[in-house]
Amino acid sequence: MPVNGLGAYDDSNVFAKILRGAIPCRKVFENEWVLAFHDINPQAPVHVLVIPKGKYVSLADFTAAASEAEIAGFFRAVGALANELGLEAAGYRVLANMGPDAGQEVPHFHVHLFAGHNLGPMLTRR
Ligand code: AMP
């Protein structure tokens, strides 16, 4: 039984379809570890999703099952992408939803990269 928090990986999820080119995305960056693209329903002036190329359903699954190289490649790409987009001076927010209480909609691990204005409080509900 994998430690993944959301059950087995389902190849029919929307990010799997994007990764195999079955549906389009507005690509921002790609390397051997990640694909980054604009969120279809942006919540900030900059709202980019970064996903690993490997099949991981959640942060729990990724951190338990991915190799050191995949984990390093993923997080280095997030930081490098934010730098290349010129976001470091003003700042940015990285967020990962994991499971039902966080409202994770797509069962392929991803982080959201938000920027472009003051992002306000970290959570809207306490
Ligand atoms: P989460 O709630 O963390 O699983 O976030 C999933 C995100 O994927 C949401 O912000 C959606 O707007 C976004 N999303 C869903 N379908 C697409 C798509 N086809 N292209 C880009 N973003 C998408």
Side-chain angles (χ1 to χ4, degrees):
M1 180 76 178
V3 179
N4 58 33
L6 290 176
Y9 189 84
D10 177 359
D11 268 315
S12 70
N13 80 74
V14 67
F15 294 169
K17 291 177 183 170
I18 287 173
L19 275 173
R20 60 178 180 264
I23 62 171
C25 72
R26 290 176 55 220
K27 182 159 76 173
V28 178
F29 176 79
E30 182 173 16
N31 68 11
E32 71 177 297
W33 305 113
V34 308
L35 177 66
F37 51 91
H38 292 285
D39 195 291
I40 204 167
N41 183 25
Q43 306 294 312
V46 176
H47 185 173
V48 171
L49 299 169
V50 187
I51 72 175
K53 290 199 167 170
K55 297 179 178 185
Y56 301 100
V57 297
S58 66
L59 185 142
D61 186 21
F62 185 67
T63 54
S67 68
E68 311 282 309
E70 286 175 294
I71 293 169
F74 181 82
F75 284 104
R76 285 192 195 284
V78 174
L81 174 60
N83 177 270
E84 282 175 26
L85 293 175
L87 306 179
E88 283 186 5
Y92 57 86
R93 181 171 293 158
V94 172
L95 180 149
N97 291 315
M98 157 59 213
D101 272 0
Q104 182 176 352
E105 292 171 8
V106 179
H108 180 113
F109 172 53
H110 53 282
V111 299
H112 299 253
L113 175 59
F114 298 109
H117 63 193
N118 186 299
L119 295 163
M122 191 159 55
L123 294 174
T124 53
R125 178 164 183 247
R126 292 169 192 252

